[in-house]
Amino acid sequence: MFSFILRRLGVLIPTFFGITLITFALIRMIPGDPIEVMVGERTLDPVMHAAAMKRLGLDQPLYVQYFDYVSKLFHGDLGASLKTQESVWNEFTTLFPATLELALCALVFATVFGLLAGVVAAIKRGSMFDHGVMGLSLTGFSMPIFVWGLLAVMFFSVFLGWTPVSGRIDLMFDVQPQTGFMLIDAWRAELLDPDINAGAFKDAVMHLILPTIVLGTIPLATIARMTRSSMLEVLREDYVRTARAKGLSPARVIFIHTLRNALIPVLTVIGLQVGTLMGGAVLTETIFSWPGIGKWLIEAIGRRDYPVVQNGILIVATLVILTNFVVDILYGIANPRIRHAK
Amino acid sequence: MSLLQIKNLSVEFGNAANPFRAVEGLDLSVNQGEIVGIVGESGSGKSVTMMAMMGLLEGQGRIVADQLEFDGKNLLTISAKERRKIVGKDIAMIFQDPMTSLNPSYTVGYQIMEVLKVHQGLRGAELKARALELMELVEIPAPKSRLEAYPHQLSGGMSQRVMIAVALACNPKLLIADEPTTALDVTIQAQIMDLLVNLQKERNMALLMITHDLAVIAEVAHRVAVMYAGQVAEEGVVPQLFRQPVHPYTQALLSSIPEHSKGAHRLSTLPGIVPGQYDRPKGCLLSPRCPHVQPRCRDERPAITPHQHGAVRCFYPLFDKEAS
């Protein structure tokens, strides 16, 4: 198991360098530079432009810039935003809880309902429920977030008025960011100051529902389909027949003997959803004006804020890689054949 | 009274408009302490019969029978819950491929103890001791450490021993072995067969052996049923059935064993294949392949009729030919 972890860790290092190279290159491929975007092309004086670029170190050849970037990374220096002069790490840690809260809720939503739908669809194969779930999941999977998100806002928030249109909480509440997780902060605020903040927690929940569903739809569909096909495959296995021949109850056959084995590939898929969630958060946060990493990165790209884009993406990507690393280890725990492999 | 009594069992697959009878009009009885063999080619309905009896067809096949009784209990009318109290406890089954028949995610010990927990309510030290005892019973070396092993760490022979331990855990009255040695090496095959037969003698349980290996049946079984295309073609006592087969199919089956064709240039074969879903003949199911076929065989289906040493499903059984 220890060597298994070491081997997985070894794979992470080249991946990490790949990401630095790609983000570094991609942001420089977009036309324009930070100074141009800041000032606007027509009023830009070439001399001033060159001086500003020199001050930022952007006049150097690309390989020098890249080397400089990576060597700073090794010293733990993630740079500062060109706009706010605030360090990228500080900005990230301030905004990340909002994204994490949304992504976690979406992941829990997707996993719980995805597993449930997948398992029931597999057991009731060929039924109306099965066809319904599979049809819906294909729709959910194929629907772009920006279409589905806007439609959901129009229908549920504007037409039906069930949920708020955007933001994390109503402005009339006085909620101090303590943990950065709005659900916890609102709950605390309500306890501390019941007069002003009565109903703050419920309001935070209402704000969270629609973005959670919109962000969770694609992972939900993916997990449901994967669970179903994996369950169907395992249900045909000889050892499931053995379990039945032992006279075990249907619940035991399904949950102990089938689901345990069917979950192994599903676990990997759930881990991969973390990447999907981070990518989806960018769009979802933009639609719902959710003050998280996604919105922050979109704005940084808009103003060619090289340090924020490079290092913001690097941090997010590292988180995704680490999550998948953890999933790989869980996979090893779930699957004795991998755990014991030499 | 027989331990297991099956009368006129049929198992149908497919929709009602276009059914396929995998098993048709099967009669079989097994007494306590008896070894009964079922032989037949692939697709002759051997395994389906057993799966139907165990309730393992999962609603895929329709089961019809005049009688399906085990130990005085009617398996046809019994509820699924009642059936689960018998299956795995009084009737146990081992399968063809031991390597895939054990759950890869659980230890051997867990899979043995599971049956003991569910059927006998054993817990704690008692449970562990009984599991160890079973491992010793099936002659697994280093049983204590093997309890912690996962199936992928065991060989095929060891896995089949574990399967036997699981099957014998609750002292079943009937053990069904569905081609228990087919997937194993030849040397291991003999070991597993010896183990099964010894355990059967020791515990005086009934053993129903499904196989296509006639040599195995000839050696260990008391009685044998030969199946062809979902029907019992011939049933009889060992060794009479082997000395004097009266059904043309049994005769053909026996003459296809290499040992029976010493000196011959080619192995004797029966031309053609077992009829499938859409090409079942109108008359006797063997009629297209039978070397002794008569006009009547092509028009009518023979019923199974008893004779001195057993029963045969043939209009023109081979008594006289053997005598003359």
Side-chain angles (χ1 to χ4, degrees):
Chain A
M1 191 68 198
F2 183 68
S3 72
F4 171 73
I5 294 175
L6 272 187
R7 266 182 293 136
R8 300 305 310 180
L9 268 176
V11 180
L12 296 188
I13 296 164
T15 317
F16 184 81
F17 279 102
I19 295 162
T20 61
L21 196 61
I22 289 170
T23 50
F24 178 87
L26 274 182
I27 187 66
R28 279 167 179 77
M29 275 183 210
I30 308 175
D33 57 57
I35 311 301
E36 267 180 25
V37 175
M38 207 187 299
V39 192
E41 263 178 71
R42 271 173 293 179
T43 49
L44 191 59
D45 169 24
V47 181
M48 296 280 284
H49 180 228
M53 289 294 270
K54 190 170 179 167
R55 202 174 62 242
L56 295 175
L58 296 174
D59 57 334
Q60 302 283 335
L62 281 180
Y63 68 88
V64 177
Q65 288 185 41
Y66 180 70
F67 184 76
D68 189 43
Y69 163 51
V70 173
S71 69
K72 272 184 180 164
L73 273 185
F74 273 106
H75 290 95
D77 180 6
L78 291 174
S81 162
L82 296 182
K83 182 190 171 201
T84 59
Q85 302 303 320
E86 181 78 42
S87 92
V88 171
W89 180 249
N90 284 351
E91 286 200 345
F92 176 84
T93 47
T94 318
L95 294 169
F96 185 62
T99 303
L100 188 62
E101 185 176 41
L102 177 60
L104 276 179
C105 288
L107 189 63
V108 170
F109 164 75
T111 307
V112 169
F113 289 97
L115 283 179
L116 212 65
V119 168
V120 178
I123 297 171
K124 297 193 177 299
R125 185 186 191 183
S127 67
M128 286 296 286
F129 181 86
D130 183 19
H131 291 305
V133 165
M134 287 307 107
L136 276 179
S137 75
L138 189 62
T139 316
F141 186 75
S142 323
M143 188 97 91
I145 288 182
F146 53 87
V147 174
W148 165 223
L150 290 174
L151 285 178
V153 169
M154 274 165 63
F155 188 71
F156 293 107
S157 305
V158 179
F159 182 68
L160 291 174
W162 286 357
T163 58
V165 175
S166 65
R168 297 178 80 189
I169 195 149
D170 200 293
L171 287 176
M172 70 180 198
F173 296 110
D174 176 29
V175 176
Q176 295 304 314
Q178 294 277 338
T179 58
F181 293 94
M182 188 52 82
L183 290 179
I184 299 172
D185 287 343
W187 183 60
R188 269 177 56 111
E190 200 172 336
L191 281 184
L192 291 174
D193 207 344
D195 298 331
I196 310 172
N197 290 326
F201 180 71
K202 188 177 167 239
D203 190 67
V205 172
M206 293 307 283
H207 275 87
L208 195 56
I209 289 176
L210 212 51
T212 296
I213 293 175
V214 168
L215 181 58
T217 300
I218 291 177
L220 168 70
T222 315
I223 292 169
R225 295 185 78 84
M226 189 68 206
T227 308
R228 176 182 178 269
S229 64
S230 176
M231 279 291 287
L232 286 177
E233 202 172 295
V234 175
L235 278 170
R236 278 195 296 269
E237 291 284 349
D238 286 348
Y239 54 79
V240 174
R241 183 187 59 189
T242 306
R244 288 202 187 103
K246 280 166 146 183
L248 306 178
S249 67
R252 225 186 140 78
V253 172
I254 294 293
F255 291 105
I256 309 279
H257 286 273
T258 311
L259 193 58
R260 166 85 187 256
N261 289 291
L263 275 185
I264 293 170
V266 176
L267 205 59
T268 312
V269 169
I270 292 177
L272 291 174
Q273 295 316 306
V274 175
T276 312
L277 284 171
M278 286 299 161
V282 172
L283 293 164
T284 312
E285 287 178 3
T286 309
I287 291 168
F288 289 94
S289 300
W290 193 269
I293 302 298
K295 204 160 156 279
W296 176 59
L297 284 176
I298 285 281
E299 285 163 10
I301 293 170
R303 57 172 196 266
R304 312 287 186 276
D305 198 335
Y306 290 173
V308 171
V309 175
Q310 275 167 196
N311 293 314
I313 292 177
L314 182 67
I315 298 169
V316 173
T318 308
L319 283 175
V320 172
I321 295 174
L322 285 178
T323 322
N324 281 310
F325 171 66
V326 172
V327 169
D328 274 342
I329 292 172
L330 285 178
Y331 189 96
I333 292 171
N335 190 343
R337 277 164 296 187
I338 289 188
R339 198 190 323 149
H340 291 279
K342 292 265 152 53
Chain B
M1 206 194 73
S2 309
L3 182 67
L4 175 71
Q5 187 77 49
I6 304 177
K7 279 216 175 96
N8 199 17
L9 171 80
S10 296
V11 183
E12 272 183 12
F13 292 94
N15 53 19
N18 193 13
F20 171 65
R21 289 205 151 175
V23 178
E24 198 174 343
L26 180 128
D27 296 338
L28 186 74
S29 70
V30 182
N31 298 315
Q32 200 196 344
E34 194 181 27
I35 302 184
V36 175
I38 302 184
V39 289
E41 297 171 58
S42 307
S44 59
K46 302 172 301 218
S47 299
V48 173
T49 307
M50 292 309 122
M51 303 281 270
M53 204 186 76
M54 299 275 284
L56 296 179
L57 291 177
E58 281 291 296
Q60 284 172 34
R62 283 179 300 282
I63 301 162
V64 193
D66 291 346
Q67 194 184 10
L68 186 57
E69 245 181 53
F70 172 79
D71 203 16
K73 292 183 194 88
N74 187 346
L75 296 179
L76 281 171
T77 52
I78 206 168
S79 71
K81 201 173 170 187
E82 285 297 312
R83 186 198 295 269
R84 284 201 297 273
K85 285 187 188 158
I86 301 174
V87 164
K89 183 167 174 280
D90 294 330
I91 312 178
M93 192 162 177
I94 58 174
F95 300 96
Q96 180 169 346
D97 193 345
M99 303 291 268
T100 58
S101 292
L102 289 167
N103 194 322
S105 290
Y106 296 97
T107 60
V108 164
Y110 180 91
Q111 298 187 54
I112 296 178
M113 289 189 264
E114 188 178 31
V115 231
L116 294 167
K117 260 195 265 184
V118 169
H119 288 297
Q120 299 189 324
L122 295 187
R123 294 285 183 276
E126 202 186 354
L127 178 65
K128 196 126 198 214
R130 176 75 180 129
L132 201 61
E133 198 182 306
L134 283 162
M135 294 284 276
E136 280 160 5
L137 182 75
V138 295
E139 295 160 17
I140 290 178
K144 204 157 196 170
S145 61
R146 286 275 160 72
L147 278 177
E148 307 297 323
Y150 283 90
H152 71 273
Q153 297 168 315
L154 301 182
S155 66
M158 280 303 151
S159 301
Q160 194 62 298
R161 284 174 194 271
V162 172
M163 284 297 290
I164 295 172
V166 170
L168 294 182
C170 304
N171 301 313
K173 292 176 179 146
L174 170 66
L175 176 65
I176 302 170
D178 189 351
E179 312 217 10
T181 58
T182 310
L184 305 174
D185 287 345
V186 182
T187 47
I188 309 295
Q189 283 184 5
Q191 288 177 15
I192 295 289
M193 275 319 299
D194 285 347
L195 178 69
L196 276 176
V197 172
N198 286 340
L199 289 168
Q200 182 272 335
K201 274 197 198 120
E202 221 169 81
R203 304 168 154 243
N204 196 31
M205 65 179 177
L207 177 60
L208 221 151
M209 182 95 69
I210 303 173
T211 179
H212 48 237
D213 189 345
L214 287 162
V216 166
I217 295 290
E219 213 171 298
V220 304
H222 305 131
R223 275 190 308 122
V224 58
V226 180
M227 286 191 72
Y228 181 77
Q231 294 182 329
V232 173
E234 180 173 4
E235 197 222 303
V237 205
V238 179
Q240 271 80 357
L241 184 131
F242 288 97
R243 289 208 189 119
Q244 199 189 69
V246 290
H247 196 285
Y249 179 68
T250 317
Q251 195 191 40
L253 209 57
L254 287 170
S255 60
S256 70
I257 299 176
E259 285 84 345
H260 285 211
S261 325
K262 274 187 187 135
H265 290 291
R266 272 178 165 276
L267 217 52
S268 166
T269 57
L270 200 59
I273 52 162
V274 183
Q277 181 171 2
Y278 301 108
D279 50 7
R280 291 261 155 118
K282 188 176 147 221
C284 172
L285 292 178
L286 188 66
S287 58
R289 302 172 71 186
C290 184
H292 310 284
V293 66
Q294 304 286 325
R296 187 186 172 195
C297 304
R298 300 195 193 276
D299 296 328
E300 284 177 60
R301 287 210 175 165
I304 191 148
T305 41
H307 60 85
Q308 202 187 342
H309 297 298
V312 65
R313 192 186 287 275
C314 184
F315 290 125
Y316 307 101
L318 307 166
F319 299 118
D320 306 328
K321 278 172 195 148
E322 292 293 320
S324 60

